[in-house]
Amino acid sequence: MVALDAMEKTATFELWQVELNDFLGTCIKIRGAVDQVSTAIDAGYSVAERMQGNPFRSVISQLSSGGTKGIESRVEFNQLIQQNVVKLPTPASNHTSDDRANSVSKVSVQALGFIETQGFTAVFEAIDTACKAAQVEVVGKEKLGGGYVTIVIRGDVAAVTAAIEAARPKVDGLGKLVAAHVIARPSPSVLALLP
């Protein structure tokens, strides 16, 4: 989500699909003009590297129809983690840069916070602390496999920041903190993929 937000704030493209894999990776598939896609991919790659991820990137110009059939996936529900592992954006997330600017301004005072842990007990303690620390709302929970769980909260920037900062130390001793991050003014594509 953090990489996608940076991508959409850097370039204009269409979000195609997001696909989770069994190795806790996420594949963000986008399409559009080659220069815009390249700029977006570079921005997302940089963010993933800064977050100690192990990102890979590829830009395919003039994708063949045969290639499209191999890359595009059907929406798929994983029984083990009880959620979709192939996600399509809502129609509202595919818009022009003018539409995007207007949409972002509607949520300019909003923020999203992410707490990702390895271990349910840790994430439950963290989210309870976050909700007690500030006026935030839980948007949803995503199980990523391997005991990895992400909880997403929203509210104004100050509240979400305070909630995430209060929650971060609660993970110690209960599990492993994978990530704790705040996105101010989340992009439309990020909002379209929320759980």
Side-chain angles (χ1 to χ4, degrees):
M1 292 285 206
V2 178
L4 179 59
D5 185 68
M7 291 165 65
E8 191 165 29
K9 289 177 178 174
T10 305
T12 301
F13 58 85
E14 177 188 356
L15 178 61
W16 186 3
Q17 293 182 315
V18 175
E19 188 166 355
L20 305 176
N21 72 26
D22 293 336
F23 297 105
L24 308 176
T26 301
C27 180
I28 300 171
K29 303 172 193 176
I30 64 173
R31 52 188 167 195
V34 174
D35 63 332
Q36 293 292 309
V37 168
S38 294
T39 298
I41 293 295
D42 289 345
Y45 185 88
S46 294
V47 167
E49 272 191 323
R50 283 195 307 270
M51 295 182 78
Q52 280 78 50
N54 186 23
F56 296 92
R57 62 184 162 190
S58 179
V59 175
I60 302 169
S61 60
Q62 299 179 2
L63 182 62
S64 69
S65 61
T68 300
K69 290 179 184 178
I71 294 169
E72 188 169 42
S73 300
R74 294 183 331 260
V75 172
E76 178 182 339
F77 185 81
N78 183 310
Q79 290 291 338
L80 183 63
I81 61 175
Q82 294 293 299
Q83 68 186 34
N84 287 342
V85 293
V86 175
K87 299 177 182 186
L88 304 176
T90 59
S93 68
N94 294 323
H95 26 193
T96 66
S97 56
D98 289 339
D99 292 339
R100 203 170 59 204
N102 291 334
S103 180
V104 170
S105 67
K106 291 176 189 170
V107 293
S108 62
V109 297
Q110 292 290 309
L112 293 175
F114 300 85
I115 303 169
E116 184 174 324
T117 68
Q118 186 173 29
F120 279 99
T121 304
V123 82
F124 295 157
E125 180 72 27
I127 198 59
D128 181 61
T129 300
C131 290
K132 289 175 180 173
Q135 186 67 35
V136 294
E137 176 187 353
V138 174
V139 175
K141 171 177 66 177
E142 289 198 359
K143 299 181 234 176
L144 307 172
Y148 287 78
V149 183
T150 302
I151 294 195
V152 184
I153 60 173
R154 72 176 168 201
D156 67 50
V157 176
V160 171
T161 301
I164 294 296
E165 288 306 312
R168 183 187 299 262
K170 293 298 184 174
V171 175
D172 288 339
L174 297 173
K176 176 183 172 187
L177 180 67
V178 177
H181 191 79
V182 175
I183 297 176
R185 298 177 319 279
S187 68
S189 289
V190 169
L191 296 173
L193 291 172
L194 289 176

